[in-house]
Amino acid sequence: MIWTELDFNFNILTGDLSHYLKVGLFGSGVGLSLVLGFSAAYTCYYLLSVAKKPQLISGGKKFYRFLREQCPVVSETYYPTFWCWESRIQTLLRPFVTAKPGVVYRNELIKAPDGGQISLDWFDNDDSLSHPDPATRPTVLLLPGLTGTSRESYILHMVQQSRDLGYRCVVFNNRGVSGETLLTPRTYCAANTEDLETVIEHIQRTNEAAQIMAAGVSMGGMMLANYLGRKGRKTCLKGVVVFSVGWDVFECTASLEKPLDRFLFNSYLTSCLQASVDRHRPVLEKCYDIDHVMKAKTIREFDERFTSIMFGYSTNDDYYLDASPVHRLKSVKVPMLCLNAADDVFSPSHAIPVEAVKQNPNLALLITCHGGHIGFLEGLWPRRSTYMDRVFKQFAKAVIEQGTGLQDLSCSEN
């Protein structure tokens, strides 16, 4: 009897609401006018304040002209998905709305000098028509974010873009994150590039005649930038593109500790880091207080209790200083394109190194007004491709196929 009454009352309520909408609002024209007025106002706001051309900054005219000529995406208006252009929404939705292309990897475990092992996932692209010879097929090295692996949607999209270009891909999975056994009590951090150096040397030995370029996302981009800053010209990489890099770790962590961003992002990422540590507790607890690590509430606390100690820093501030790529940009000697969104809460706009980029002809910075952190969604339903994907594809093709235009950037007229 109770359910019958509830159903009856609900039917009356929905019937009255339907009658009000059809007759009271739309029937009188008032509702339709409100909807049309709101739509017009929203469209005007979107076109005037949201959809904008990105800002392209470079330390040299040659690199700037190269990008304008070979990568038209840097000059095009970026139209974020109109129903989710806000930074946090872009960041949160991207893993759920973007498709995961089917990719079959070939896994390889290589030994590190300390006795550990590094997991590489190769996409050989043996069906490549433009580069049928595997000995000379260009190779793209991909570095995922903080807790990411080769299965992240943004990595799969870059593999797909590389496949379309006829290139081979290899994904560098940080120690302990992709299911492999941790053989030594050591994981990874943004400041330490020893594993990355081992991987790049291995790729070069495996395919000596092939061109190699690299792309890094978030922490993967930080590691790449730090690597280039340390190596200078002593690297085989022909070019690098990085996305959503946190240039100053102090500013990044401070931003992520604001109440809303701590709730939405910081706590979740901390739990992901802790889960990775807990999976390898048997080998790690011999050297570190894992119970103390598992009580961390933020990324900063995790780094204070685990990362900075593992890599031998006296304080966490020392680690954050060493991990911040902004301090090594002046030493980068390889063409590097950097894509950041001005509304990225992981990398606040005031910490984007505009002035440092202007001082180095090997650097270029592309800043969009919107895009969030590894978001860059565009189109009505952004499942297939993002603005970030298009930047990657065009720059990768330019580096591999028009790379002579990037030679001697430091010696060119700037």
Side-chain angles (χ1 to χ4, degrees), residues 5 15 29 84 98 118 140 151 181 196 214 269 273 301 348 354 393:
E5 288 184 16
C84 65
T98 54
I118 303 168
V140 182
R151 290 298 171 185
T181 302
L196 177 56
L269 287 173
L273 290 167
E301 289 182 1
V354 173
K393 186 174 184 179

Side-chain angles (χ1 to χ4, degrees), residues 361-408:
N362 297 290
L363 300 176
L365 181 61
L366 190 64
I367 306 175
T368 59
C369 289
H370 300 279
H373 188 71
I374 328 175
F376 301 103
L377 303 176
E378 60 181 359
L380 181 62
W381 186 247
R383 280 190 60 77
R384 298 299 173 191
S385 179
T386 67
Y387 181 80
M388 184 177 110
D389 296 336
R390 293 198 292 132
V391 171
F392 166 78
K393 186 174 184 179
Q394 291 184 18
F395 186 71
K397 182 178 180 180
V399 168
I400 297 298
E401 300 179 19
Q402 304 294 333
T404 54
L406 292 173
Q407 294 177 357
D408 302 320

Side-chain angles (χ1 to χ4, degrees), residues 124-139 166-168 207 209-211:
D124 295 305
N125 202 7
D126 289 329
D127 296 327
S128 173
L129 298 177
S130 55
H131 300 279
D133 184 358
T136 59
R137 186 177 302 141
T139 301
Y167 306 157
R168 168 176 44 224
N207 306 281
Q211 297 185 75

Side-chain angles (χ1 to χ4, degrees), residues 143-285:
L143 282 72
L146 182 62
T147 58
T149 70
S150 61
R151 290 298 171 185
E152 304 302 323
S153 62
Y154 56 82
I155 292 293
L156 294 172
H157 277 233
M158 286 193 281
V159 173
Q160 183 183 50
Q161 303 283 358
S162 301
R163 176 177 59 196
D164 293 343
L165 292 170
Y167 306 157
R168 168 176 44 224
C169 282
V170 55
V171 184
F172 165 34
N173 298 293
N174 286 304
R175 294 197 200 190
V177 301
S178 63
E180 80 282 6
T181 302
L182 199 64
L183 300 181
T184 58
R186 167 175 164 165
T187 56
Y188 59 93
C189 74
N192 189 284
T193 59
E194 293 173 358
D195 281 0
L196 177 56
E197 292 181 35
T198 299
V199 168
I200 292 175
E201 291 170 2
H202 173 73
I203 295 171
Q204 186 180 27
R205 286 195 306 269
T206 304
N207 306 281
E208 293 181 352
Q211 297 185 75
I212 307 173
M213 71 156 293
V217 180
S218 191
M219 195 205 75
M222 295 169 65
M223 193 181 294
L224 261 178
N226 282 326
Y227 164 82
L228 291 182
R230 288 193 174 103
K231 300 297 287 186
R233 298 187 186 280
K234 297 178 181 179
T235 178
C236 61
L237 297 181
K238 301 300 181 184
V240 166
V241 58
V242 295
F243 305 101
S244 298
V245 164
W247 297 104
D248 186 323
V249 181
F250 293 100
E251 297 293 339
C252 296
T253 51
S255 179
L256 287 174
E257 286 169 356
K258 295 177 181 178
L260 179 58
D261 298 318
R262 176 170 174 164
F263 171 74
L264 291 176
F265 306 113
N266 202 326
S267 298
Y268 171 73
L269 287 173
T270 302
S271 66
C272 290
L273 290 167
Q274 290 170 322
S276 181
V277 168
D278 198 44
R279 281 197 300 272
H280 304 288
R281 181 185 283 263
V283 68
L284 292 173
E285 65 184 357

